[in-house]
Amino acid sequence: MAALQPTSLSKHPLSSGTPTQIFGSKVQSGDFLPTQFRFWTSFRSNTGVKLKASAEPPALTWELKGDEQNGIMEMESGCDLFGKLKNGFLSFKSHKYMENLERYQALAKGQAPKFMVIACADSRVCPSTILGFEPGEAFMVRNVANMVPTYESGPSETNAALEFAVNSLEVENVFIIGHSCCGGIRALMSMQDKAESSSFIRSWVTVGKNAKLSTKAAASNLSFDQQCTHCEKESINNSLLNLLTYPWIEEKVKKGMLSLHGGYYDFVNCTFEKWTLDYKGSIMNGKTRVVVKDRLFWC
């Protein structure tokens, strides 16, 4: 069959950012079979466009150079991603926001969460999804490996969030949530003690060096993967002790105005462990080892 010729256009098809419709050949019914193409101003004017005919129902095909083809795929992928987010937002607005309008209007005037949650930045670990927190119920900060640096370490986004949550919002609970297969803990356990590096990750995860040392001492006979699992939980306890280095946190804990909790989410088996720091027991232990109470296991 002869090659189809493109329909005549008054302007160069690539001169406009708006979609341009080109029609294929007639089908037996006498109607045209439309084929929609999108022309983007980012394409060069010498884009190789060929229209072909075949024994299949009439259709037009592009023959694009590699970089142009990649450009289309990237743009369509980006549109798909944000299209999903748009649908998610509109669903939230119609099914949650509008159905609980009074509550969301109250939240617009202020927040009074009971929890401050410190969780890992890992995309598989979303505290709101896992534990069912609704907007306004938990003030959250997420970082690599859910670590809390000591008061003496100086400013960070984590202790800035802690200061606001504890002193301004007056939360009643600080909840540190770790998880299985943590890349930050694996990085910590893999580091050579005396190695020098300008890596931001290395600089950050050294916050958990005491957890690494105690893991090596207690679990040296275990495999590396098992040591990492042990350290994931040990690091949570290390951060609970670090919380007590903040004078305004320890003061509230001592007065019973604030409780410190640890949690561990195993997303391989979908289980959750929760425990609470026993302040008096930890003080008697010289603040070098966490004593816990109220341990729960959810499965």
Side-chain angles (χ1 to χ4, degrees):
M1 296 177 65
L4 296 173
Q5 298 300 319
T7 302
S8 174
L9 301 174
S10 59
K11 293 184 180 181
H12 192 286
L14 304 183
S15 63
S16 171
T18 58
T20 303
Q21 186 160 293
I22 300 177
F23 293 90
S25 59
K26 283 187 177 181
V27 295
Q28 289 183 351
S29 65
D31 296 325
F32 283 98
L33 180 67
T35 304
Q36 187 81 11
F37 289 96
R38 291 187 177 181
F39 300 103
W40 304 95
T41 55
S42 60
F43 288 179
R44 293 194 296 270
S45 61
N46 64 346
T47 300
V49 181
K50 292 186 180 180
L51 307 180
K52 294 183 176 180
S54 69
E56 300 296 324
L60 304 182
T61 61
W62 285 106
E63 285 190 2
L64 301 177
K65 296 179 180 179
D67 56 343
E68 293 160 345
Q69 197 169 34
N70 291 338
I72 282 184
M73 292 175 66
E74 289 175 3
M75 285 185 288
E76 290 182 348
S77 176
C79 290
D80 290 343
L81 285 173
F82 283 95
K84 180 181 178 182
L85 297 183
K86 174 187 174 182
N87 291 336
F89 170 72
L90 294 178
S91 175
F92 158 76
K93 184 174 182 179
S94 60
H95 297 297
K96 290 200 171 183
Y97 185 89
M98 297 306 296
E99 291 179 6
N100 300 278
L101 187 58
E102 185 175 341
R103 180 184 177 199
Y104 281 99
Q105 287 178 335
L107 284 174
K109 298 175 182 178
Q111 58 175 328
K114 300 293 185 183
F115 280 88
M116 159 70 174
V117 173
I118 300 170
C120 185
D122 193 299
S123 63
R124 299 164 292 183
V125 184
C126 178
S128 294
T129 300
I130 298 163
L131 299 174
F133 286 116
E134 294 290 339
E137 292 182 346
F139 188 79
M140 296 191 190
V141 63
R142 297 176 68 177
N143 62 43
V144 173
N146 45 271
M147 292 184 177
V148 177
T150 62
Y151 178 78
E152 294 78 17
S153 298
S156 72
E157 80 289 343
T158 300
N159 49 34
L162 274 167
E163 181 179 3
F164 181 71
V166 173
N167 293 337
S168 297
L169 296 178
E170 298 183 335
V171 296
E172 297 173 6
N173 304 275
V174 176
F175 197 5
I176 302 175
I177 302 173
H179 66 93
S180 57
C181 307
C182 182
I185 295 298
R186 198 172 188 87
L188 171 66
M189 292 296 294
S190 301
M191 289 190 318
Q192 299 299 317
D193 294 336
K194 296 183 180 180
E196 293 185 5
S197 171
S198 58
S199 166
F200 292 132
I201 296 174
R202 177 184 172 83
S203 298
W204 172 252
V205 297
T206 52
V207 168
K209 62 184 178 181
N210 288 338
K212 176 183 178 179
L213 292 174
S214 60
T215 295
K216 290 292 187 182
S220 59
N221 60 319
L222 300 180
S223 69
F224 180 72
D225 287 345
Q226 290 172 321
Q227 288 182 30
C228 286
T229 299
H230 186 281
C231 191
E232 286 162 358
K233 298 179 182 181
E234 194 65 30
S235 178
I236 298 168
N237 287 333
N238 181 67
S239 287
L240 287 172
L241 285 177
N242 286 350
L243 286 173
L244 294 179
T245 66
Y246 293 80
W248 29 274
I249 289 180
E250 184 174 20
E251 180 182 0
K252 289 198 171 188
V253 172
K254 189 185 300 185
K255 292 180 179 178
M257 300 169 63
L258 180 66
S259 296
L260 309 180
H261 312 276
Y264 181 80
Y265 171 48
D266 179 350
F267 56 66
V268 176
N269 299 301
C270 197
T271 60
F272 196 94
E273 296 176 59
K274 172 267 172 190
W275 59 93
T276 298
L277 178 137
D278 183 332
Y279 176 69
K280 291 182 179 179
S282 299
I283 288 296
M284 291 177 62
N285 214 21
K287 295 186 191 177
T288 58
R289 192 76 182 168
V290 167
V291 176
V292 302
K293 61 182 180 180
D294 301 333
R295 186 182 290 271
L296 299 173
F297 185 78
W298 305 328
C299 62

